[in-house]
Amino acid sequence: MKVYFVGAGPGDPCLITVRGKSLLEEADVIIYAGSLVNPRLLDYAREGARIHNSASMNLEEMVKIMEESAGLGEKVVRLHTGDPGLYGAIQEQINLLEAKNIPCEVVPGVSSMSAAGASLKREFTQPGVSQSLIVTRMEGRTPVPSEESLESLSQHRGSLCIFLSVQKIEEVVSKLSKGYPPHTPVAVVYKASWPEEKIIQGDLATIAKKVKEEGIEKTALILVGDFLKGEGEPSLLYDSSFTHGYRRGE
Ligand code: SAH
């Protein structure tokens, strides 16, 4: 049988895809990322499913479980937070499985980035403000290529979503200030879609102090850019004078 890499969504158990939920319900074995996945998602598992927390495992241990279970014809779900394609470390798992000829499939999920945008009721891409969204992180123990430093990305002044970096908010702000003006809006969303969600808003000059005061050090996204003001121009798509494939303008 197959190994399914499933996006669990940002936290709220209703924000997993229908397909992801079905796979969880049918799985013989579930390996979940215990540090971030909401344990309530495991309520979807059937009785008797074998459930492993990957927090204490290394790559080889994980792949060994996948290999043994797949060999027995079992259905394995590897449950990742948000969308597995963002900071999920799934590529190394997929490559090992492919090298062993174990079939696998990826089921996308709702990223915490989408959940944070939704909580703020802000569109990342607003006409006249920004039509680009950069997804990045600051280097930690995992390096970031120097071409992608926050200093250089900030030169674009577009919408920015920064993962895995809130614990270094002061450094983030100082690097971003190389490109964005000090009054650029910044929002920090802690545990988007969880009951304990918190939203902190400010600008480049004020956000670090506010985040420190709230004691937020993990499970948060830093969103940066004028899109946070929500003052973009109306889109041409619904403009009465604009003709496109589905509608003739006046
Ligand atoms: N694949 C995930 C990201 C995993 S990396 C996704 O698509 O969301 C882990 C980082 O994601 C955390 O350090 C934090 O920056 C962010 N994160 C995960 N869940 C979050 C949530 N509910 N709210 C805010 N940030 C979250």
Side-chain angles (χ1 to χ4, degrees):
M1 276 278 248
K2 263 191 191 173
V3 176
Y4 296 87
F5 293 90
V6 174
D12 180 344
C14 294
L15 290 178
I16 188 171
T17 62
V18 176
R19 180 157 170 70
K21 178 171 174 274
S22 307
L23 286 166
L24 268 183
E25 288 165 348
E26 297 157 5
D28 301 297
V29 176
I30 298 169
I31 307 175
Y32 74 107
S35 54
L36 276 167
V37 169
N38 187 343
R40 282 187 52 208
L41 279 147
L42 300 173
D43 295 346
Y44 294 137
R46 67 172 178 79
E47 212 167 303
R50 300 197 300 287
I51 300 179
H52 304 269
N53 182 348
S54 64
S56 58
M57 293 183 193
N58 63 36
L59 178 62
E60 285 70 29
E61 288 167 335
M62 233 160 17
V63 171
K64 187 159 173 271
I65 294 178
M66 293 173 179
E67 191 177 6
E68 284 171 0
S69 303
L72 293 171
E74 294 180 324
K75 192 174 269 190
V76 181
V77 166
R78 172 72 173 110
L79 193 60
H80 280 272
T81 179
D83 179 66
L86 289 171
Y87 309 105
I90 60 167
Q91 196 64 59
E92 60 206 58
Q93 302 173 55
I94 292 170
N95 292 350
L96 276 180
L97 292 176
E98 286 184 341
K100 293 174 188 285
N101 286 319
I102 301 168
C104 66
E105 198 177 308
V106 181
V107 179
V110 177
S111 174
S112 57
M113 174 170 72
S114 309
S119 293
L120 291 161
K121 301 193 192 73
R122 285 295 176 266
E123 180 179 354
F124 292 109
T125 51
Q126 291 164 42
V129 178
S130 174
Q131 290 289 289
S132 312
L133 168 62
I134 295 178
V135 178
T136 189
R137 62 168 295 171
M138 206 166 73
E139 67 276 4
R141 274 179 294 178
T142 304
V144 173
S146 60
E147 300 86 347
E148 299 172 17
S149 69
L150 286 180
E151 288 97 326
S152 74
L153 295 181
S154 69
Q155 304 300 321
H156 297 285
R157 297 204 189 177
S159 308
L160 198 58
C161 177
I162 308 175
F163 283 75
L164 293 157
S165 307
V166 76
Q167 70 284 1
K168 293 190 183 166
I169 184 82
E170 281 146 337
E171 211 178 315
V172 168
V173 164
S174 118
K175 288 174 188 276
L176 293 177
S177 302
K178 299 279 193 298
Y180 292 93
H183 52 263
T184 304
V186 183
V188 167
V189 183
Y190 169 75
K191 286 209 149 182
S193 88
W194 291 66
E196 56 270 49
E197 173 181 302
K198 261 189 212 169
I199 295 178
I200 293 147
Q201 285 176 293
D203 59 23
L204 270 184
T206 60
I207 196 76
K209 184 160 178 276
K210 292 183 183 184
V211 167
K212 292 279 169 205
E213 277 166 9
E214 291 286 340
I216 293 171
E217 296 204 316
K218 56 177 190 178
T219 329
L221 293 173
I222 307 168
L223 306 174
V224 185
D226 284 334
F227 78 96
L228 289 166
K229 293 182 189 158
E231 293 168 353
E233 292 157 15
S235 150
L236 286 175
L237 188 58
Y238 300 109
D239 187 302
S240 57
S241 65
F242 190 64
T243 297
H244 58 68
Y246 296 94
R247 184 168 53 79
R248 175 166 293 281
E250 289 157 13

